[in-house]
Amino acid sequence: VLIVAAKNADAPQPRAEILGDVARIYEETSQVDKSEAIHRQVLELAPEDPSIALPAARALERIYAASGKNVDLAQILRVQVRLEENVEARRELLGRLGTLAEESLSDDPGAISAWKERLEDDPADSVALAALDRLYERSGDHRALVEVLRTRERNADDADARKALMGRAAKT
């Protein structure tokens, strides 16, 4: 009945709300595959409209995280980053994406991309800088590593930390 009502809805917003209810019912009754399919439909209704797409993307994130579908989880985190207007929420999503890419997907270029994007919101982000330090060191990208080390040095409050970072930059 709800699916028929959704098909008959004239606008994307009511259609998305009805389909969201259907997806929740499927999820609550352990029909996760059907719930995932419905949330994907909602996401496709208006992929650039955060009021429609973001709730569906968050639901898909929950489904993918619970089922260990890390590639799908990374993709849906990217969708959320694109749609999210709140800077702090974006930073949190980018941090999760960077960690997932590095630790679960062994995708260092993807991790670097996520952490660099997070730095765009806050160039002094110590967590992002530490992650990029580690990733550039591992990848052997010495030019980028030195740049990150210098930024970390400028942001360091502790004289010993500044000295250690300067030493690392000089050796690189």
Side-chain angles (χ1 to χ4, degrees), residues 81-158:
V81 165
R82 182 174 43 79
L83 295 169
E84 185 58 63
E85 295 169 356
N86 179 290
V87 172
E88 284 305 311
R90 270 180 43 83
R91 288 182 67 233
E92 188 272 331
L93 288 165
L94 286 164
R96 290 183 44 224
L97 179 57
T99 300
L100 178 71
E102 180 181 5
E103 295 176 2
S104 299
L105 300 175
S106 299
D107 177 14
D108 285 357
I112 288 169
S113 176
W115 289 114
K116 283 174 68 174
E117 189 173 346
R118 180 168 154 155
L119 275 182
E120 291 172 13
D121 289 331
D122 178 8
D125 184 328
S126 63
V127 175
L129 288 166
L132 287 169
D133 179 337
R134 180 179 59 254
L135 289 158
Y136 287 141
E137 174 106 24
R138 185 166 53 225
S139 72
D141 186 343
H142 299 295
R143 176 174 283 143
L145 176 58
V146 168
E147 186 178 317
V148 166
L149 290 170
R150 288 185 177 147
T151 302
R152 290 184 72 197
E153 173 199 336
R154 283 191 300 275
N155 297 338
D157 294 329
D158 180 311

Side-chain angles (χ1 to χ4, degrees), residues 5-133:
K7 286 180 182 176
N8 291 330
D10 292 335
Q13 188 65 43
R15 185 175 301 142
E17 290 171 4
I18 295 167
L19 287 173
D21 289 341
V22 170
R24 276 187 289 285
I25 292 167
Y26 280 139
E27 196 171 350
E28 289 168 2
T29 58
S30 300
Q31 298 179 64
V32 179
D33 290 344
K34 288 182 179 179
S35 178
E36 177 186 350
I38 298 291
H39 283 303
R40 283 241 165 247
Q41 274 185 331
V42 172
L43 192 59
E44 292 168 10
L45 283 176
E48 301 304 320
D49 182 346
S51 68
I52 293 174
L54 205 48
R58 288 177 180 143
L60 287 166
E61 174 194 352
R62 186 177 59 251
I63 289 169
Y64 296 148
S67 63
K69 293 181 174 180
N70 291 330
V71 171
D72 292 329
L73 178 57
Q75 290 172 342
I76 209 66
L77 287 172
R78 284 186 199 97
V79 169
Q80 288 183 69
V81 165
R82 182 174 43 79
L83 295 169
E84 185 58 63
E85 295 169 356
N86 179 290
V87 172
E88 284 305 311
R90 270 180 43 83
R91 288 182 67 233
E92 188 272 331
L93 288 165
L94 286 164
R96 290 183 44 224
L97 179 57
T99 300
L100 178 71
E102 180 181 5
E103 295 176 2
S104 299
L105 300 175
S106 299
D107 177 14
D108 285 357
I112 288 169
S113 176
W115 289 114
K116 283 174 68 174
E117 189 173 346
R118 180 168 154 155
L119 275 182
E120 291 172 13
D121 289 331
D122 178 8
D125 184 328
S126 63
V127 175
L129 288 166
L132 287 169
D133 179 337

